[in-house]
Amino acid sequence: RQTIRADIQRNANPDAPAEAVATIRDGNVRLSIDLLRNATDLETNQMVSAYSIRSAFAQLYGGARGTTADEINQALNFGLEGDAFHHAMNAVDLALTSRNLPAAGDLDPVELNTANTFWAGAGMDWNQDYLELLGLHYGAGVEAIDFSADPEAARLVINKWVEEKTKTRIKNLIPRGEIKPSTLAVLTNAVYFKAPWADQFSKAVTVDAGFTTLADEEVQVPTMVQNTVARYAQEDGWLAVEKSFRGGKLAMLFIVPDVGEFADF
């Protein structure tokens, strides 16, 4: 394994106007909805991260041209092109990172970390402009690894990297046999997020309560209960509540369809 990087520092103050950052945000929402519609199974619980996918492909997009670049941009709802896009992605990533908080007394830390790596076959002649783009906007480089000589060893190296970046939460990301001697490149993204609620739930008031499944059967499940002030919205067919994490700059948005409307929603 060899790290190939340009001798350049990441831009800590990217030239990204608020409108460009908003475009990245809105595209993230649109891709999330596209994935929920087309890449999920209603019969199983699933988690998808549009931000992860866009972060990883942003680096690939930096080296793409012509039709390939256009199709990546369109499919992933980038909404911006060229340097404007990379400046905005850098700004978004730095803004999210700035919302981390260290532990303080009895308060657990707020940790949100993203890591992208472009693993490529050894011996390639890398374009210097591309390496500088990766370094300037993403603080990244390319990891050269010999897929052809020992694909299994390469797989273990990549899986170990993912495991470390997710603090052992994700292990064996790439199954045995997926990397072959003919593999040219592997694009990986890892996101790690852990944070306490701004208003903690009390274990003392967690009680069993009824939950209606999609089969219209009620089951009893341990349910957290809390009286709190929260942002709230309701329209025909759904309601939503936002619950903040410690610090108030990150939050989870819960969207709940009306009874019997889950599949249609």
Side-chain angles (χ1 to χ4, degrees), residues 137-154:
H137 299 297
Y138 302 98
V142 173
E143 298 295 327
I145 192 165
D146 197 341
F147 295 119
S148 60
D150 194 340
E152 177 59 13

Side-chain angles (χ1 to χ4, degrees), residues 15-28 30 54 58 61-62 69-70 72-92 138:
D15 181 18
E19 297 81 9
V21 173
T23 297
I24 296 297
R25 178 200 64 204
D26 294 346
N28 202 65
R30 287 196 298 272
R54 283 156 59 95
Y61 175 67
D70 292 341
I72 292 174
N73 193 311
Q74 181 178 2
L76 299 182
N77 288 299
F78 284 166
L80 299 169
E81 296 181 353
D83 285 345
F85 167 76
H86 297 296
H87 279 293
M89 283 295 290
N90 187 19
V92 168
Y138 302 98

Side-chain angles (χ1 to χ4, degrees), residues 99-131:
R99 299 178 183 186
N100 286 332
L101 294 171
D106 294 334
L107 298 175
D108 290 334
V110 174
E111 299 175 276
L112 173 59
N113 301 310
T114 63
N116 304 292
T117 298
F118 193 162
W119 307 84
M124 293 185 180
D125 185 16
W126 288 93
N127 182 291
Q128 186 62 27
D129 290 342
Y130 178 63
L131 293 176

Side-chain angles (χ1 to χ4, degrees), residues 55-198:
S55 296
F57 272 90
Q59 297 188 40
L60 189 65
Y61 175 67
R65 296 293 183 271
T67 302
T68 303
D70 292 341
E71 290 181 348
I72 292 174
N73 193 311
Q74 181 178 2
L76 299 182
N77 288 299
F78 284 166
L80 299 169
E81 296 181 353
D83 285 345
F85 167 76
H86 297 296
H87 279 293
M89 283 295 290
N90 187 19
V92 168
D93 185 65
L94 291 172
L96 290 174
T97 301
S98 73
R99 299 178 183 186
N100 286 332
L101 294 171
D106 294 334
L107 298 175
D108 290 334
V110 174
E111 299 175 276
L112 173 59
N113 301 310
T114 63
N116 304 292
T117 298
F118 193 162
W119 307 84
M124 293 185 180
D125 185 16
W126 288 93
N127 182 291
Q128 186 62 27
D129 290 342
Y130 178 63
L131 293 176
E132 291 181 0
L133 181 147
L134 292 182
L136 182 66
H137 299 297
Y138 302 98
V142 173
E143 298 295 327
I145 192 165
D146 197 341
F147 295 119
S148 60
D150 194 340
E152 177 59 13
R155 181 183 76 90
L156 294 176
V157 167
I158 295 172
N159 282 351
K160 183 65 175 177
W161 177 89
V162 172
E163 183 176 336
E164 290 174 352
K165 293 298 183 181
T166 59
K167 299 191 176 183
T168 73
R169 295 306 196 278
I170 299 177
K171 301 179 180 181
N172 300 315
L173 174 70
I174 302 175
R176 181 183 293 272
E178 283 296 308
I179 294 183
K180 303 174 175 61
S182 59
T183 297
L184 293 178
V186 175
L187 195 61
T188 53
N189 168 275
V191 170
Y192 177 86
F193 176 65
K194 185 177 182 182
W197 298 114

